[in-house]
Amino acid sequence: GNVPVSQECDPPCMGVSVAFDRTSLDVEPGQQALCNVQVRNTGAVVDRVLLDVLGDARSWATAEPPELSLLPGTSGTARVVFHPLRASSPPAGEVPFALRAMSQEDPEGSVIVEGAVTLAPFTDIRASLVPKTSHARRRGRHRLIVENRGNAGADLGLAAADEDNALEFKFQPELIT
């Protein structure tokens, strides 16, 4: 628990408090963003505090450093660094996370502080034509394979042109999501 240092304790008081400089931040996939964390030893004994990230952001977030050694009544600073890949997962939007600060002197007295990181959307549309060329008198059929490698949905209108302006194109459907 959080007990003031000035209070008499037997056995010695223990405890940790944690505060973020901001509990909400934005990050671009493929980039990184961070928030600072103040960790305070509110106990009366030297403590080693282990830090780890919990929640859906756990695989792309790290606590640096992962542990702090603190004298009684002192604080240390760490940071949570978010570094999501530029990939289709996780999807764009708000991702809740938590930072757990575990006291080695008082494992029962772990503190968990929550925040949220918002992943910005990005678009990465790839298209390929199968077959690439065809020879026909009246009509040639092709399949257009469209892949969304971004982290957000996309509504696409399809259009085509040829250099000689000799062909007519029809798409079925004309719009895809």
Side-chain angles (χ1 to χ4, degrees), residues 83-142:
H83 40 84
L85 295 176
R86 189 171 169 87
S88 59
S89 180
E94 188 175 274
V95 181
F97 72 91
L99 179 74
R100 175 173 54 190
M102 251 180 8
S103 162
Q104 293 302 95
E105 290 298 320
D106 181 18
E108 301 292 310
S110 291
V111 175
I112 295 177
V113 186
E114 296 179 346
V117 60
T118 301
L119 277 171
F122 76 94
T123 305
D124 184 359
I125 305 293
R126 312 275 172 102
S128 57
L129 197 59
V130 180
K132 289 196 185 295
T133 60
S134 63
H135 302 282
R137 285 207 167 139
R138 295 190 158 244
R139 177 180 293 195
R141 285 189 172 267
H142 297 262

Side-chain angles (χ1 to χ4, degrees), residues 40-66:
R40 185 165 184 77
N41 178 356
T42 57
V45 295
V46 175
D47 202 349
R48 194 162 58 97
V49 181
L50 305 181
L51 302 172
D52 64 338
V53 180
L54 308 174
D56 292 342
R58 180 180 198 148
S59 63
W60 43 274
T62 50
E64 297 175 1

Side-chain angles (χ1 to χ4, degrees), residues 6 19-21 25 44 53 66 69 77 113 121 123 126 136 143 146-147 154 162 170 172:
S6 60
F20 286 129
D21 64 346
L25 61 158
V53 180
S69 290
T77 304
V113 186
T123 305
R126 312 275 172 102
R143 286 181 49 224
V146 180
E147 184 182 5
D162 68 295
K170 282 188 183 171
Q172 212 170 5

